[in-house]
Amino acid sequence: MMGEEPATREPEMSDAGSDEELALPARMEEGSHSGSIRKGCDPCSQTQRSKLQHRRARINQQINKEMRMRAGAENLFRATTNNKVKETVALELSFVNSNLQLLKEELEELNSNMEVYQTESEAINVPMIPLGLKETKEVDLTVPLKDVICEHYGEDSSLFEKEIKEFMELRQAMRTPSRNEAGLELLMEYYNQLYYLDQRFFPPHRTLGVHFHWYDSLTGVPSCQRALAFEKGSVLFNVGALYTQIGARQDRSATAGIDCAIDAFQRAAGAFNYLKENFSNAPSLDMSGPSLCMLVRLMIAQVQECVFERVTLTTPDTHFITQLQVAKEAARVSDVYSLVLQTMSQTLVKDYVPFSWASMVQVKAEHFRALSHYNAAVALCDHTQSIEEGSDEESAKALFQFHVSSPAGPPLSQVLRDPEDRRKLGKAHLRCAVIRHEEAMRVHGLCKILRKMDILQEVLSFMYKRSLDKYSEMDREDDFDETAEAPEIHSQTQHKPDITPPNFSTVPVTDIFQRLGPLSVFCARARWGPVRVVSLQRGDGGLGLTLRGDSPVLVAGVVPGGCAQEAGLREGDYIVAVDGEDFKWAKHGEVVHVLKSCSDRGIQLSIITLHTHDTQVDRRQVMLSPSGDEANALQRTMGRAKGQRTAPLLNWNRKKTGGGGRATKRLGSTFSLPFGNLRDCESMY
């Protein structure tokens, strides 16, 4: 039962990289922020796909309303002791459940409307199975973000209205991505910005009180959580769903379109697999482990289907061995779809997957098994010349490895030499092909939604008639021998599908809230004291301080009795402003130049002192630091904990360690060390 409060969702969805995810899509540099230029689709655009999304959104809202009514009625039924009230509530519950069932059936029909996402090409191809995008409610983050900016960062929140508005516009655009590369970039940009939002405004042990509402992509059941990981996981799911739509719309009558479809489905599988491995406690069924496993296998099966289509386009059908290879490819497609069907039949997924999906998968498993037997028959009966011209040993070896078990009758070496034996074996394969085609058409006829798909009906009818005509052509009136049972065909593929994980570094973004300061210090996990303004004047012995690092510059040392100590500077202070000018992003050389050129009147420095940072620090290493400077050793230890790496963004590298085989995650990073390069840029004044 779905209610308004997320208490029923506990524990909240979590991201495996939320605590140590330090990889950023682009290095943050000082300067003006350039906003996103990506926009979503026009919500009023009356395309077939937008109409479908609007209907899905409307049904989701109705389902949400019915779920609320059911939750309230169930609470009243449990709380009341009045029998009349109980009877009334029970009657109301029956009506609500009936309405919910009707709405879910309507939504299932929308989700099964695959023709909207198919290519507009006139080529006859078996339709692919795409996914609809998850819908989400609008979320107003203005007040919570302003509160954090004011309370945590001590800044005037009214000065950040532009940034907050830009982020809200980006989220609004993300709700309606276009079905192309621009839509993918929009989703990835928003996902990357969520990393910055998490670091800036979401401390590990506190929430902002913001609830993220998303609807299940297949059932429309609403889910609500406060965890930002739920928002990130839902966006990542939509990345995979959008890839399925892009793959389904490709024109697969040419190799270029097939290659694009293969790439799209492999990337969809990678997105769903990444979500399965790195996010946990999903509140909605579409992002649960069993469902994601099913989606990954479905995408791989569709990749394998595209591989078969490419093989049939590029392989000449005039040679015995190559025709056998085509039959093996078709058998491989049938096998992977059979595996998908097994996954869809599991307890946790069976009642969740649309009936039309399961029917389509079963139809494809039977259809491609029939094509496998048909191509075997064509190889045996139509390519006698290629057998005679080629090597008998090579043809015999290919035929020996073709069947799972040896067929009944004469040995295969004799079958190759005798046309009549080849005809009988080919006829046996054709009989299997006809039976499989009939089964595919039977399953197709049982599903009301599939019966409405004209192109699928056309493909199945054409292939069935072709096999039946071939069988009639080979059948003879004087052939009184009973047709033997053809053995199963070995499945083999020339191209094994890959799971391509998402690469978010392809969409570089700049932190919208970078004016708050460098993320290494000015983040939700850091705690610092109020800003102090000190007046520093140069004395006879200089300023008496040592600076290290960049963005912001760290006061690494203060000379006892010097000007800096008398002014109130301490080791571990950060210089955030000079004479009222923001220096949070200032480089080491810039601060050095300003300090050297200060006049006799002195200079005013705005200083903060970092008190705590939610990073595990090896205290023993701090105490045993050879520098003897506990504060600086602490900074170096934290710098190593969050140091720079060069691996790709969000590229999870799981490997087993020597002790216990525990899986570890390595994250790449493209931004500077949190406390700068403390050794390379050290200056004393």
Side-chain angles (χ1 to χ4, degrees), residues 467-503:
S467 297
L468 198 59
D469 291 345
K470 188 72 174 177
Y471 185 83
S472 300
E473 176 187 332
M474 297 178 60
D475 195 18
R476 297 177 180 175
E477 294 182 1
D478 58 348
D479 189 0
F480 298 105
D481 294 334
E482 183 178 354
T483 304
E485 187 73 23
E488 287 298 326
I489 299 171
H490 267 301
S491 64
Q492 188 179 31
T493 181
Q494 297 177 351
H495 178 87
K496 186 177 180 181
D498 295 323
I499 296 179
T500 306
N503 183 10

Side-chain angles (χ1 to χ4, degrees), residues 350-370:
K350 182 178 181 180
D351 297 330
Y352 173 70
V353 175
F355 177 70
S356 60
W357 282 25
S359 299
M360 174 68 88
V361 169
Q362 188 175 358
V363 165
K364 288 191 174 187
E366 298 293 342
H367 171 71
F368 285 100
R369 184 64 63 180

Side-chain angles (χ1 to χ4, degrees), residues 38-42 45 47 49-50 53 117 133 172-187 238-239 241-243 245-246 249:
R38 300 187 178 95
K39 303 298 180 183
C41 292
D42 181 6
S45 177
T47 63
R49 176 172 172 264
S50 66
Q53 292 296 103
Y117 301 101
L133 302 183
Q172 182 66 21
M174 172 275 307
R175 298 175 64 190
T176 56
S178 55
R179 189 177 49 165
N180 50 30
E181 192 66 29
L184 290 169
E185 290 180 357
L186 175 61
L187 290 174
N238 276 357
V239 170
L242 195 56
Y243 270 123
Q245 297 179 13
I246 293 175
R249 73 174 302 184

Side-chain angles (χ1 to χ4, degrees), residues 209-412:
V210 178
H211 292 82
F212 299 101
H213 296 259
W214 287 83
Y215 297 93
D216 191 287
S217 62
L218 295 181
T219 65
V221 174
S223 299
C224 172
Q225 278 198 353
R226 295 169 296 180
L228 191 64
F230 182 40
E231 178 92 344
K232 294 170 67 178
S234 299
V235 174
L236 187 56
F237 183 94
N238 276 357
V239 170
L242 195 56
Y243 270 123
T244 68
Q245 297 179 13
I246 293 175
R249 73 174 302 184
Q250 299 301 319
D251 181 6
R252 306 198 310 276
S253 61
T255 55
I258 293 176
D259 290 339
C260 290
I262 289 175
D263 180 70
F265 288 128
Q266 288 184 156
R267 293 183 182 275
F272 296 137
N273 190 63
Y274 182 93
L275 184 59
K276 176 174 67 75
E277 291 185 349
N278 297 291
F279 290 81
S280 57
N281 300 323
S284 58
L285 284 174
D286 53 356
M287 294 196 295
S288 64
S291 296
L292 291 173
C293 181
M294 179 271 297
L295 290 176
V296 171
R297 291 182 176 179
L298 176 60
M299 295 305 111
I300 292 301
Q302 297 192 139
V303 171
Q304 199 68 65
E305 181 178 350
C306 293
V307 170
F308 169 77
E309 293 174 343
R310 186 173 61 185
V311 169
T312 56
L313 281 178
T314 58
T315 301
D317 58 353
T318 58
H319 197 275
F320 175 75
I321 297 178
T322 56
Q323 196 70 38
L324 292 183
Q325 183 60 45
V326 172
K328 289 182 178 181
E329 288 282 357
R332 178 63 179 172
V333 179
S334 178
D335 284 350
V336 292
Y337 272 118
S338 297
L339 181 60
V340 175
L341 188 61
Q342 291 179 12
T343 307
M344 289 182 172
S345 302
Q346 293 179 355
T347 305
L348 297 177
V349 184
K350 182 178 181 180
D351 297 330
Y352 173 70
V353 175
F355 177 70
S356 60
W357 282 25
S359 299
M360 174 68 88
V361 169
Q362 188 175 358
V363 165
K364 288 191 174 187
E366 298 293 342
H367 171 71
F368 285 100
R369 184 64 63 180
L371 290 183
S372 176
H373 285 289
Y374 174 82
N375 282 279
V378 170
L380 289 166
C381 301
D382 292 356
H383 299 321
T384 57
Q385 185 177 359
S386 63
I387 297 175
E388 295 170 357
E389 293 176 353
S391 170
D392 289 341
E393 293 183 2
E394 185 179 358
S395 299
K397 181 179 179 182
L399 191 58
F400 275 120
Q401 297 175 350
F402 182 68
H403 296 101
V404 174
S405 59
S406 298
L412 293 177

